């Protein structure tokens, strides 16, 4: 019995591309519908990276060529490195700029963190004063 | 028309709908940061569209364009946030 390898390749590639497009659509709907900036940010970062990666892998499987697969692995590598860094930088800017949070957000841990940081700052200032007295 | 070409047409259509949704958020986003995230999504969408288009036209050079674009999207959002943080200080 013969297996048509071209057909198998096309099926695998189609499955990857359809899954990637599905994740991309979910990310876009999340961007449009979620209530505040931070939840939208989380929807984009995961959904778009996964969706784009799966589309690109699907095309790489279809082309069946070493050079193109290397370029596609480079695209995947850059995206997987840069996307979390960009998301972290944007969200940090949003915290500093005081972009409003959703009213149902649970802020208990964040406030504990802020209090702890304040305490740490006081300790550091105490240390600095002691040091200056000693000098 | 075989399965793969049908899949590519469906993917084109759905990615176009995704671009439309991101453009709506880009137009009405309350803050500038919302627009930056919408721009991120648009860049990821365009990379997917370019890669699929390179199959449809059999023009392999377009994959290089996607490679460069994946770096420039990162650069764009990072520089936007950098200058937003510096403007007040």
């Amino acid at each position: 019995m013969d297996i048509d390898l071209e057909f198998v390749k096309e099926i695998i590639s189609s499955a990857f591309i359809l899954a990637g497009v599905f994740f991309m659509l979910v990310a876009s709907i999340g961007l449009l519908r979620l209530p505040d900036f931070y939840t939208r940010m989380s929807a984009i970062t995961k959904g778009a990276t996964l969706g784009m990666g799966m589309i690109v892998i699907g095309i790489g499987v279809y082309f069946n060529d070493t050079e193109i697969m290397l370029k596609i692995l480079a695209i995947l590598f850059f995206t997987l490195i840069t996307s979390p860094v960009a998301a972290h930088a944007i969200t940090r800017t949003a915290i500093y700029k005081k972009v409003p949070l959703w009213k149902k957000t649970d802020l208990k841990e964040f406030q504990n963190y802020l209090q702890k940081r304040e305490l740490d700052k006081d300790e550091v200032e105490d240390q600095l004063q002691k040091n200056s007295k000693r000098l | 028309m075989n399965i793969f070409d049908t899949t590519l047409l469906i993917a084109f259509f759905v990615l176009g709908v995704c671009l439309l949704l991101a453009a709506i958020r880009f137009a009405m986003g309350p803050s500038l940061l919302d627009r930056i995230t919408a721009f991120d999504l648009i860049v990821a969408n365009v990379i997917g569209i370019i890669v699929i288009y390179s199959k449809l036209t059999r023009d392999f050079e377009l994959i290089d364009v996607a490679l460069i674009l994946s770096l420039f999207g990162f650069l764009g959002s990072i520089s936007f946030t950098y200058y937003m943080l510096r403007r007040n200080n």
Side-chain angles (χ1 to χ4, degrees):
Chain A
M1 185 182 131
D2 274 349
I3 299 176
D4 190 1
L5 281 181
E6 286 285 319
F7 188 64
V8 173
K9 192 179 77 181
E10 286 187 358
I11 293 293
I12 292 175
S13 176
S14 300
F16 266 113
I17 291 176
L18 282 184
V21 162
F22 171 73
F23 280 115
M24 203 69 115
L25 186 65
V26 169
S28 300
I29 294 174
L31 177 70
L32 198 58
R33 295 286 301 165
L34 283 177
D36 78 344
F37 169 74
Y38 303 95
T39 48
R40 285 196 288 258
M41 192 72 224
S42 77
I44 289 302
T45 313
K46 286 167 286 204
T49 310
L50 184 59
M52 201 200 75
M54 289 182 94
I55 292 174
V56 166
I57 285 180
I59 292 289
V61 168
Y62 178 78
F63 274 143
N64 197 9
D65 185 74
T66 313
E67 191 181 343
I68 293 175
M69 197 65 198
L70 275 180
K71 281 175 190 169
I72 277 170
L73 285 182
I75 294 178
L76 267 182
F77 178 73
F78 286 140
T79 313
L80 288 184
I81 293 286
T82 58
S83 166
V85 179
H88 181 247
I90 292 173
T91 315
R92 191 166 154 269
T93 312
I95 294 279
Y96 274 110
K97 288 277 177 182
K98 296 186 173 51
V99 173
L101 287 128
W102 192 28
K103 61 178 188 297
K104 287 184 188 172
T105 314
D106 186 7
L107 282 176
K108 206 179 290 173
E109 286 190 16
F110 185 54
Q111 274 160 359
N112 283 341
Y113 168 73
L114 283 184
Q115 281 177 359
K116 208 176 136 198
R117 235 176 68 170
E118 289 292 315
L119 286 181
D120 284 349
K121 202 190 289 175
D122 289 345
E123 284 179 7
V124 168
E125 282 171 1
D126 285 347
Q127 289 283 342
L128 282 178
Q129 280 177 359
K130 278 181 192 169
N131 281 347
S132 60
K133 275 175 193 169
R134 197 181 297 158
L135 283 172
Chain B
M1 196 165 189
N2 59 2
I3 293 180
F4 193 63
D5 285 339
T6 318
T7 304
L8 288 189
L9 280 185
I10 293 173
F12 247 11
F13 179 73
V14 179
L15 284 181
V17 172
C18 292
L19 270 184
L20 195 67
L21 296 182
I24 292 173
R25 175 53 74 187
F26 191 87
M28 77 185 209
S31 65
L32 180 59
L33 288 158
D34 280 299
R35 300 200 166 100
I36 296 174
T37 51
F39 181 71
D40 257 2
L41 183 66
I42 287 176
V43 167
N45 255 321
V46 168
I47 290 173
I49 288 178
I50 284 175
V51 170
I52 291 176
Y53 188 72
S54 81
K55 192 270 154 193
L56 284 183
T57 59
R58 293 248 148 218
D59 187 3
F60 303 141
E61 307 291 323
L62 282 176
I63 292 182
D64 293 347
V65 180
L67 179 57
I68 300 299
L69 204 59
S70 74
L71 284 177
F72 266 80
F74 169 69
L75 213 63
S77 47
I78 286 293
S79 51
F80 262 118
T81 52
Y82 181 69
Y83 285 110
M84 274 187 76
L85 268 185
R86 283 193 62 184
R87 199 166 54 190
N88 276 4
N89 307 332

